[in-house]
Amino acid sequence: MSKLPMDVITDVLYRLPVKTLVRFKSLSKSCCSLIDDPDFIRAHLNRSVRTGSNLNIILKGLHLYSVEFDTLDVAVPLDCPLSLGACTEAFGSCDGLLAIHMSDKNVALYNPSTRQFRRLPVSEIDPPQGESCRPGYVFFGFGQDVRTNDYKVVRMAQFNENDDEDDEGHSFDYEVKVYSLKNDCWRKITKLPFYLRFMFQFFYHLLHRRGYGVLAAGVLHWVMPPRMELGIFSNKIVGFDLGTEEFTEVPQPECADRGFLLDVGVLEGCLCAVCNYDQVNIDVWVMKEYGVKESWTRLLSVKKTRAVNPLTFSKPLAYSKYRDKVLLEVNNQKFAWYDLQKKKMRSVKIGGSLGSFGAEVYVGSLIPIEDQKRTENQKQNQQDEPSLRKGNRKKRDDFLSQGFKLNVVWINRGTRVVHSGDEFGTDADPPSRLILEFEMEWLFCHPKATLK
């Protein structure tokens, strides 16, 4: 192995799955150093994204399951440290990292491939001062700020009046906070657009996990559906730029019929708009160039069948290896391959899958999420350990060179007998009841001093 050129070794390692690389780290210090190198980690991830390798699908139900994209055969439980028998939700994935939560304040990041886990600091939801209101629905999102190479979690909390029965109050601003992995802290966003007050709609956002932001081009996306009672007659795609930490409106495709229910998705990093027409047929549009309205292109159109009736929900997940098919999640109950040439849909059966689930694609990666300060302290302690052991050894040698006396106390039939030094155990009979007390006494005055 050592005779092979390093570039050949590196190229071979680039092609291996993450779990194999994690095992290889124990082969040698040089191998571990190479695999832990940030440049290698990023290059391995870029190759996986470019070639479509190391892909997995996470199934989100009461518990989390994972399926290998290449086989799509069996769903296996995802062992998540945050899950303690309660419902754990995954609300986003980016570069192999999953963002998960059990409550509005119990949030964590997890890398399933390396099993690294990091719980986020608790940040309270603070209602507007002086207002009589309570926290309502909470939106989440997760992604990367590509300009600073920082991973961020976004939490948007809605507030309702205490006597608001429909939970769709729009009298208060949202509270928006952003967590930075680099800084390990939350920051409150104060510059909020007025239309944000009207984004939440009870049945729309509770169904199909629509409150979780969709990441594309470094921007998280949510849909604000029409609010006829408020004079809002069309859908709106709301974006939150993770770089500028500002909200923006994203242009929509020009659809012939405006009477549709809108969802957003992502396909190979491109934003998708999913237009559902009365649960009869669905059009999927792809934005080829982010932010450019004219770049919207219709990718496929799906109609309901006897097997899928009604067609309540669908979203694209990934292209096939040869890019001639698209894997769809349908009605939160099944997967299907859509053939782009034949324009037909074929169901995919996965063993061990849930009855009802949401699905999301994530790529296996070596991206670390552990606390860097704690990791550096552990490494420093490991480096200091040999010198500490040497110092402890010297103290022990000094201790022995001074000399000490070992007293053993026997208790035999109620009589206390003290044996000192080499007198111990010479002529004494074995006692029926024995209690040993060891006392080590320093002899500082004179090396030949004895104990009385």
Side-chain angles (χ1 to χ4, degrees):
M1 186 73 174
S2 60
K3 295 181 180 180
L4 292 175
M6 182 53 65
D7 57 343
V8 174
I9 297 175
T10 304
D11 186 64
V12 171
L13 294 178
Y14 283 154
R15 302 169 186 271
L16 297 179
V18 176
K19 292 183 178 179
T20 302
L21 293 175
V22 172
R23 293 198 301 268
F24 279 10
K25 289 171 64 175
S26 61
L27 293 177
S28 65
K29 289 184 178 180
S30 59
C31 189
C32 180
S33 177
L34 172 61
I35 296 174
D36 282 341
D37 183 80
D39 292 335
F40 176 87
I41 292 174
R42 182 57 59 178
H44 181 270
L45 173 63
N46 291 339
R47 185 186 183 280
S48 297
V49 174
R50 185 177 67 255
T51 61
S53 55
N54 295 315
L55 292 183
N56 301 271
I57 298 177
I58 183 171
L59 305 183
K60 302 178 286 187
L62 291 178
H63 301 280
L64 301 179
Y65 289 77
S66 179
V67 182
E68 291 187 8
F69 179 76
D70 290 338
T71 58
L72 292 178
D73 51 1
V74 179
V76 296
L78 192 64
D79 186 14
C80 176
L82 192 63
S83 178
L84 298 174
C87 179
T88 301
E89 280 279 352
F91 60 84
S93 70
C94 179
D95 291 350
L97 306 182
L98 297 182
I100 55 181
H101 75 99
M102 286 180 62
S103 67
D104 300 338
K105 294 180 287 188
N106 194 1
V107 187
L109 299 180
Y110 180 51
N111 187 327
S113 301
T114 64
R115 299 182 63 81
Q116 288 187 7
F117 172 81
R118 183 164 182 172
R119 194 184 298 271
L120 275 56
V122 175
S123 179
E124 300 290 339
I125 297 177
D126 303 317
Q129 293 184 356
E131 299 288 353
S132 177
C133 60
R134 56 185 170 81
Y137 187 79
V138 179
F139 296 80
F140 280 101
F142 172 64
Q144 183 193 27
D145 177 2
V146 294
R147 280 168 282 193
T148 61
N149 195 28
D150 189 12
Y151 295 94
K152 297 181 178 181
V153 173
V154 178
R155 187 186 70 185
M156 298 193 301
Q158 175 225 17
F159 297 102
N160 300 316
E161 295 181 6
N162 288 329
D163 57 352
D164 189 4
E165 297 181 356
D166 60 4
D167 286 335
E168 293 189 7
H170 46 268
S171 302
F172 311 102
D173 276 333
Y174 280 36
E175 182 203 62
V176 181
K177 288 185 177 180
V178 178
Y179 168 81
S180 164
L181 181 61
K182 275 190 173 181
N183 301 324
D184 192 30
C185 66
W186 292 86
R187 190 174 78 86
K188 188 173 182 178
I189 305 300
T190 58
K191 185 179 179 181
L192 304 178
F194 185 76
Y195 61 75
L196 205 62
R197 296 185 176 202
F198 311 109
M199 190 165 76
F200 176 68
Q201 191 177 86
F202 187 82
F203 288 107
Y204 176 85
H205 285 107
L206 261 62
L207 292 174
H208 311 300
R209 297 175 173 83
R210 291 185 173 112
Y212 299 156
V214 173
L215 178 67
V219 179
L220 290 168
H221 302 84
W222 296 268
V223 172
M224 187 174 80
R227 302 288 296 270
M228 303 301 180
E229 72 279 10
L230 300 176
I232 303 174
F233 301 106
S234 61
N235 297 283
K236 186 188 297 290
I237 300 178
V238 177
F240 181 80
D241 192 309
L242 292 171
T244 62
E245 296 187 350
E246 294 180 348
F247 285 92
T248 182
E249 292 187 44
V250 181
Q252 301 178 45
E254 288 290 352
C255 301
D257 184 1
R258 291 282 180 175
F260 60 86
L261 187 66
L262 180 65
D263 283 293
V264 288
V266 62
L267 193 60
E268 286 194 347
C270 294
L271 181 66
C272 296
V274 183
C275 305
N276 190 320
Y277 299 92
D278 298 323
Q279 301 183 4
V280 175
N281 68 289
I282 289 178
D283 291 341
V284 176
W285 296 71
V286 178
M287 181 179 268
K288 299 289 188 178
E289 185 178 352
Y290 186 79
V292 179
K293 183 180 179 67
E294 292 74 22
S295 69
W296 281 109
T297 304
R298 189 165 66 177
L299 177 67
L300 58 90
S301 182
V302 179
K303 294 184 179 181
K304 70 176 184 179
T305 63
R306 282 184 291 182
V308 182
N309 187 13
L311 191 57
T312 58
F313 177 81
S314 182
K315 72 173 183 179
L317 295 174
Y319 286 105
S320 63
K321 182 178 180 180
Y322 299 106
R323 299 180 63 83
D324 57 339
K325 300 181 182 68
V326 176
L327 185 65
L328 301 175
E329 174 196 344
V330 181
N331 291 351
N332 292 140
Q333 293 179 337
K334 62 179 66 179
F335 294 110
W337 282 113
Y338 181 86
D339 193 309
L340 296 173
Q341 300 296 326
K342 299 178 180 179
K343 302 186 184 305
K344 291 184 179 181
M345 192 166 56
R346 176 176 58 85
S347 297
V348 178
K349 293 184 178 181
I350 297 179
S353 60
L354 309 176
S356 178
F357 57 83
E360 188 164 348
V361 175
Y362 75 94
V363 59
S365 80
L366 293 161
I367 297 294
I369 53 176
E370 290 183 338
D371 190 340
Q372 296 300 320
K373 292 182 180 179
R374 183 178 64 182
T375 304
E376 291 173 2
N377 290 337
Q378 290 176 347
K379 290 182 178 179
Q380 185 63 39
N381 292 337
Q382 292 175 356
Q383 294 174 358
D384 295 342
E385 189 174 349
S387 59
L388 290 175
R389 285 201 301 263
K390 184 177 180 181
N392 293 335
R393 192 181 299 114
K394 185 177 185 303
K395 290 180 180 179
R396 184 197 64 190
D397 295 342
D398 293 342
F399 171 79
L400 294 175
S401 66
Q402 294 292 334
F404 66 92
K405 202 73 170 178
L406 177 64
N407 287 351
V408 182
V409 179
W410 298 65
I411 297 179
N412 186 16
R413 297 184 179 90
T415 304
R416 188 172 189 270
V417 183
V418 178
H419 295 269
S420 178
D422 56 359
E423 297 177 3
F424 166 68
T426 53
D427 298 323
D429 294 330
S432 59
R433 181 165 174 260
L434 177 64
I435 296 178
L436 298 179
E437 264 181 28
F438 292 90
E439 297 176 354
M440 289 169 30
E441 299 180 7
W442 284 97
L443 304 177
F444 290 106
C445 297
H446 193 277
K448 296 183 179 180
T450 59
L451 294 176
K452 295 182 180 180

